[in-house]
Each structure stands twice: as C-alpha cells, then as structure tokens.
Amino acid sequence: MALLRRILIANRGEIAVRILRTCRLLGIETVLAVSDADRDSLPARLADAVIRLGPAAPAASYLDIDAVVRAAIAARVDAIHPGYGFLSENPRLATVCDAAGIIFIGPTAGQLEAVGDKVSARRHATAAGLPVLPGGEVTGEQQAIDLAARTGWPVLVKAVSGGGGRGLRPVREPAGLAETLSVAMAEAGAAFGDERVYLERYVTSGRHVEVQLLGDGQRVIHLGDRDCSVQRRYQKLVEEAPAPLLAPQLRAQLRQAAVALGEHLRYRGLGTVEFLVDCERDAFYFLEVNARIQVEHPVTEAISGLDLVAEQIWIAEGNSLRIQQGSVELTGHAIECRINAEDWTDSFRPSPGLITVAEFPAGPGIRVDTHIQAGSQVPPWYDSLLAKLIVSGRDRPEALARMQAALGRCQIGGVATTIAMHAQLLGTEAFTRGGPDTGYLDQFLRRRGTGHQAAGRLSATGGRHG
Amino acid sequence: MDLTNEDVQDILHVLDSLPFGELSLETARFRLSLRRAGNGDWTQALEILVPPALAADAGAPAGPAEPASSGGAAAGPRRPAAVSPAGAGLTDVRAPLLGTFYRAPRPGAPPFVAVGSLVRPDTVVCIIETMKLMNSVTAGVSGTVTEILLANAQFAEQDTVLMRIRADR
C-alpha cells in the first residue's frame, strides 16, 4: 500500500486534463510531461508543474520510454498515469517503472503483454471460454493468402500490437492482400514498434459493444456496457451507455464473458473487453482488450456515478476493490460525441491550427472534456480529438434531445470540426431508433455524398485510440 | 484553484434564480464567460490564463527546446513559397495538407519513387503524415519524376511542392 502524493501524467490533450481534474479532487500533486508542441497547452497551464519530454514528434517525446521515466525520476513522482494511446499499454514502461520504484497506474507488465499482443489475447480469450473469429498470425505473403482462404473473404488485417481501432485494414479480395500487408506492417512498425500483423474473418455487419472492467488483481467486476458502433475507419465517433436494444440475455452473456476473461487474467486496474455483436444471430465474438482508460469512459461514469480515474488511483495504491458488483447501480442513459479537428465534408481531412473560439454548452446533464480554449494550438503531430461532449438523461430519448440542443451550443472557430456531422447523424431515423451497426456511419456519409471523395488524392489510413 | 465543471454548475444554479443573462468573471488565473440563450440554455467559454509552471529539463541528452511550431524532422519545415516555380511541361505534386513527408512506406523500405521513375496518375509517390493519419499522395499525372524537393521526414506546410513530374504528351 502506498499513498500516491505526486503523479506524472505521461500524456496530452483532453485525457491529461481529465486526469488532472481527479488528481486535484484527491489532493494529489501533478506533473505534466510535455513535448515542445504542448508546452503552452491547457493541461500544461492546469498542472502543478510541467516537465519537457522532447521534440514534438511522438517518437521523440510521448513514445520515448526513457524520456518518460527520466522525467518521472527528475520530477520525483510516486506514480505515472499513462492515459490512453502512446505508452499506456506498453509492458516495457510498466517494467521499467517497477525497476525504478515508480508505480505504473495500470495493469501488470505481464497482463499488458498477455492482451497487448493480439494473437496472445485471442489465446487467453479462448482459454477463458470466449468465442473468437477464425484467423491467425501472418508470417508471410503466401501463408497469409492460404490463411485467408481458410477463414473466408473478406478479411481484416490487424496489427499484433495494435489496439483501439488502430492498425486495422479490411481486404476484400486476394489481389489486394500483398500491398495491404506491406502498408499495414509499415504502419504497425511506425505506430507500435512492432511490424507483426494477423488476419481474421471480417464481419461486415455487426455492432461494437464493450464491457468496462475493474479489477484489483484478485476480484474483477464489470461496470456495464457501452455501444461504440458509430465508427469511421475503426475510429469511434459516438459512444453510449448502456448499449441500446440488446436482448437482456445477450447483455448478461457479454458482461459475464468479460468478467470471465478478467478473472482468467487476474486483471488489475481499469480495462475494457471489446466484442463484435452479430445482432441477427444474437452471437458475439471477442475482439480485444484495452488495458487502460478509454476515450469513452465518461458515458460509464455518467450512468454509474463513479470516477474511473479515482478508482484507477485507488487500485494503483495497492487497495482492494471498494465497489461490490451488487452495489454498482447503472441509471439513465449517456451519449458522447467526439468533436475532432477534421473537415467531415472533405474526407475528414485533418484540420490542425489555431483555435480562435471555444464555446461549449453548460448545464445539468452536460459534461465537456476538452483541452482547447481560445488561443490554443492544435498541433499536426497528434490525434485530432478536440473535445468530448457527454450528455446524460433519465432515458435515451431525453439524452438524445439534450445532446441535440447541446451540439447547437458548441462553437469552435479556427479549425474545421465534426460538430455539424454529429447533429445530422443523431437526427437520423436509424440512430434515433438505436443500435445501428458499424457500417452505418459510412452509409450515412455516402447518402449525404460527403466524406468520400470519389477521385481525391487523399487516402487516409491509420487511426487513433479507442 | 481552477474552476471545475461542478463549480460552473453551481454558478449556473445561482444565476438561474437571478435576472441576468450573462456573466463575465476574470481573475488572474482564469476568464469565464457564461451566456444564457432565450430558451434558458447556457453556454460557457473558459480560458485559463496562468502560464505553465515549467520545471527544469528532465536531464535529457536532447538539445535545446525547439520552437513549438517545428517538428522533430530532419530539417526545418518547408513552406509553399520556398521553391522556384515549375518549368514548362512540369507538374507540381503538392502537399495536400501540412504534415511530415515520407518517401517510403516504412523505415528501411525502398522509396515509392526516385528521380527518373515513371508514374501514372494513381501512382503513390509519397506519404504525408498529419494527426496520425498516413495520407498517400498520388502523382496526379502520367510522366517522369524529375525532382524531389524535400528530404525524407521533413515537415511540409500545406501546398508545399514536394516533387515535380514531367508529364507525358
């Protein structure tokens, strides 16, 4: 047991602000690790102290394990909170922290290894009795073609060390496989420092439902489910809790399966088990484990009344869970819209730049997690998430109506944003009804005739965190 | 002490019982503006004014801090106006958006094209990485690459000329 008094936040953007907020409530001192591009950011202004990691490029700053640990030692912190993305699921950071006597706020290095490697994660899921899609690791071009012939087309190429929707590429026919493998391996190498990829059958119509877990290394509980099916290129744009229109038995099975995997791993900390739900057959498949806090955690906080960062810190201090499964009460409905610096009318072209206006809605049932204010720079080196608008209500219709009104009061100037897309999307009949599948957003964009350049010179790939 | 969302909610609660539609609050640390629309819904704009408390460097072996607008690239950023205009019969390949210029699909791999390479309109000639998205840039015309103006991993502003291609007649 170790009371944490001073924490290094090894991240940036809205999640850095989010972690700062809980630290302040708990009376914990904060030191923010920044790249040169973020020295004047909103989280830098909010932190008790700021320490430089390195140049703007992520590889030289937020992804540099040695720089992060050096900063932690120099800042004399008790612990590192890695946020999401960057080094949050890096077992080597956890190991180096252990060796340096610094607490890594997250699972053990062994657990990060077990689920961070997607081939190993599949093995653990199978061992815990969870259904997985047919597939396996790719060792060469010919072997990949043979493997795809066995799983059936289309297939999805995934980075072994990927996660949160990053490093995923669908391939529809054998002719495109070789080039996709090459690019996927390049991206995986650049993004995760691990070029290995695997492939599995690609389910074209399904819902993305995930279960929030919290464990203390002995006991594991779930904090309900979330639906994150509104995605573009595997990047979530809208999330809600609970997942709407799930058969009660299926919902119970998903939650049980997630807890079974958590127990199998003797999971410690906050984590999410992602599933692909085949609604027509009421079947589900294990996708991956995200062994960290997620972008969409606020919708779970909104319906559970919990502070998930506070629970992470509580567990990191060596305590046992202070919540019983039976005392978890999920009430109402919450929706989150990710507001990104992207021009959604032009292939979601990234739109870095200077923020001139940043006005957000305020009031009951409204929460805004953001790292921007008037005068903020949105640098081109990092992801495009500007703000998360989280709205809750007694039920889904109330939350939806509140979100529509709240979106109307969001004003961001200086960069292109996805605000207007959310307003249109949430007004569609399919979204209002609830439970659209992961292909829905693409259909919506195609119908509008935006977001898909027919003959453009951009073919954006890659992605962000989940 | 900074303002939390809960603080703002408390302030709104007080304001709801008062006949004011707007509140501006400025301290040395922050500036908060709250505005009420006709239907009673509130909008907030918060600016934290206090500068960051920069601690000493972590003892990193790295050199001096770079300006915030520069990358960790091989050379300084290349701006659109920094090159001579294209000659007759030459077509510019420009950066579709600002980002880092990569000549190869991954480190160590052969470059997409070199000077002398024959390209078609849909030939991928380089990658521009922006906000973690790898954007393939295509040649746009059929022809021969005559010039590559940026070094690998150099940062390019939007519309920077990356390459020149002598178009087929």
Side-chain angles (χ1 to χ4, degrees):
Chain A
M1 302 258 274
L3 199 63
L4 301 186
R5 291 193 186 84
R6 198 166 151 90
I7 289 179
L8 183 85
I9 299 171
N11 214 302
R12 63 175 307 282
E14 67 84 21
I15 195 64
V17 176
R18 167 70 192 86
I19 297 163
L20 279 161
R21 184 163 62 86
T22 290
C23 287
R24 182 142 300 156
L25 288 171
L26 297 176
I28 297 171
E29 285 180 359
T30 51
V31 182
L32 183 71
V34 298
S35 77
D36 288 335
D38 287 330
R39 281 179 299 172
D40 200 31
S41 66
L42 176 58
R45 288 160 183 263
L46 293 171
D48 293 315
V50 173
I51 192 161
R52 176 179 183 263
L53 281 179
S61 48
Y62 298 108
L63 286 172
D64 184 339
I65 294 174
D66 295 335
V68 168
V69 174
R70 259 200 316 270
I73 291 168
R76 296 188 306 279
V77 296
D78 308 315
I80 293 179
H81 197 307
Y84 53 64
F86 295 127
L87 296 172
S88 60
E89 296 177 273
N90 190 301
R92 199 167 85 75
L93 176 60
T95 304
V96 176
C97 281
D98 284 349
I102 296 166
I103 290 173
F104 174 80
I105 301 177
T108 66
Q111 288 163 353
L112 289 172
E113 245 154 42
V115 301
D117 175 317
K118 302 303 162 194
V119 173
S120 155
R122 277 171 62 100
R123 226 172 15 243
H124 282 286
T126 307
L130 277 61
V132 299
L133 287 162
E137 191 169 351
V138 172
T139 53
E141 223 170 88
Q142 190 53 49
Q143 179 264 353
I145 290 165
D146 295 344
L147 181 61
R150 288 201 301 278
T151 63
W153 292 88
V155 297
L156 195 57
V157 176
K158 298 185 168 189
V160 169
S161 295
R166 302 183 64 204
L168 293 167
R169 285 168 167 271
V171 191
R172 311 217 168 251
E173 48 184 39
L177 190 55
E179 199 206 325
T180 302
L181 284 177
S182 165
V183 179
M185 289 168 77
E187 276 191 357
F192 315 110
D194 177 359
E195 284 207 346
R196 290 177 302 149
V197 295
Y198 73 108
L199 67 79
E200 62 184 26
R201 190 167 70 207
Y202 178 38
V203 176
T204 45
S205 171
R207 283 172 64 187
H208 177 119
V209 179
E210 59 187 30
V211 177
Q212 179 69 63
L213 292 184
L214 184 64
D216 60 14
Q218 303 294 324
R219 223 153 44 82
V220 176
I221 61 170
H222 74 80
L223 305 175
D225 43 73
R226 298 186 283 256
D227 188 313
C228 315
S229 302
V230 176
Q231 304 182 356
R232 177 177 175 273
R233 295 196 164 127
Y234 306 99
Q235 297 311 309
K236 301 163 184 170
L237 288 168
V238 180
E239 299 101 339
E240 53 187 312
L245 303 182
L246 271 192
Q249 199 192 342
L250 182 60
R251 192 188 304 278
Q253 283 174 351
L254 285 166
R255 291 171 171 183
Q256 276 164 18
V259 171
L261 179 53
E263 286 174 343
H264 165 83
L265 295 165
R266 298 174 80 82
Y267 194 78
R268 184 189 76 190
L270 196 63
T272 299
V273 185
E274 297 189 336
F275 296 99
L276 185 66
V277 173
D278 183 339
C279 301
E280 275 148 34
R281 285 175 226 145
D282 271 3
F284 63 90
Y285 305 96
F286 165 79
L287 283 179
E288 62 183 47
V289 175
N290 292 318
R292 52 171 165 81
I293 193 156
Q294 279 190 284
V295 177
E296 59 271 27
H297 76 276
V299 291
T300 296
E301 293 185 325
I303 64 162
S304 67
L306 296 168
D307 177 337
L308 297 185
V309 175
E311 295 311 313
Q312 282 189 299
I313 291 170
W314 174 258
I315 297 296
E317 288 178 331
N319 299 302
S320 302
L321 282 176
R322 55 184 168 187
I323 308 162
Q324 308 295 319
Q325 185 69 69
S327 63
V328 176
E329 257 187 72
L330 305 172
T331 50
H333 197 92
I335 304 174
E336 171 180 284
C337 289
R338 296 193 193 188
I339 299 173
N340 293 334
E342 291 169 358
D343 183 352
W344 75 285
T345 64
D346 181 12
S347 303
F348 289 78
R349 171 190 289 256
S351 180
L354 175 72
I355 299 291
T356 53
V357 179
E359 283 184 15
F360 294 104
I366 296 172
R367 165 176 167 184
V368 179
D369 282 18
T370 185
H371 61 110
I372 60 159
Q373 61 182 21
S376 291
Q377 279 286 348
V378 181
W381 291 281
Y382 315 112
D383 70 52
S384 60
L385 184 60
L386 294 174
K388 305 184 308 201
L389 177 55
I390 306 110
V391 153
S392 52
R394 279 165 298 186
D395 53 21
R396 192 169 185 273
E398 185 178 74
L400 206 48
R402 200 170 260 175
M403 179 61 92
Q404 283 288 14
L407 282 167
R409 283 181 282 146
C410 275
Q411 278 230 42
I412 297 175
V415 300
T417 77
T418 50
I419 295 170
M421 182 207 73
H422 286 298
Q424 291 188 25
L425 175 76
L426 266 53
T428 61
E429 198 258 325
F431 192 88
T432 307
R433 190 173 60 240
D437 69 14
T438 53
Y440 178 68
L441 184 66
D442 276 342
Q443 292 165 26
F444 163 79
L445 295 170
R446 258 197 304 276
R447 264 202 313 278
R448 271 201 92 264
T450 58
H452 290 263
Q453 274 185 321
R457 284 168 60 183
L458 283 178
S459 63
T461 58
R464 290 169 289 275
H465 344 284
Chain B
M1 182 64 202
D2 298 305
L3 228 58
T4 65
N5 191 43
E6 291 72 27
D7 295 330
V8 173
Q9 301 283 356
D10 288 347
I11 294 170
L12 291 181
H13 194 69
V14 173
L15 283 175
D16 273 333
S17 61
L18 296 170
F20 306 122
E22 199 162 339
L23 172 83
S24 289
L25 196 60
E26 184 163 343
T27 71
R29 292 187 58 84
F30 65 81
R31 181 187 297 142
L32 173 71
S33 311
L34 295 169
R35 270 191 296 126
R36 178 157 44 185
N39 61 0
D41 286 340
W42 287 97
T43 301
Q44 60 161 320
L46 177 63
E47 280 176 70
I48 303 297
L49 305 172
V50 61
L54 233 94
D57 212 278
E66 302 175 15
S69 62
S70 153
R78 184 60 77 91
R79 293 174 203 287
V83 292
S84 55
L90 292 182
T91 302
D92 291 338
V93 177
R94 290 173 183 271
L97 63 187
L98 88 172
T100 309
F101 169 80
Y102 291 112
R103 287 192 57 190
R106 60 185 133 134
F112 290 107
V113 292
V115 170
S117 294
L118 298 175
V119 295
R120 294 184 312 168
D122 59 353
T123 304
V124 173
V125 294
C126 65
I127 286 173
I128 294 285
E129 182 190 2
T130 303
M131 298 184 119
K132 299 171 83 180
L133 292 171
M134 298 290 183
N135 303 287
S136 303
V137 179
T138 51
V141 292
S142 289
T144 309
V145 176
T146 60
E147 203 179 350
I148 296 173
L149 293 109
L150 270 74
N152 191 53
Q154 195 173 350
F155 192 79
E157 303 274 345
Q158 187 170 354
D159 274 338
T160 301
V161 179
L162 306 169
M163 299 185 186
R164 290 203 171 114
I165 296 169
R166 182 171 301 286
D168 293 338
R169 289 276 150 182

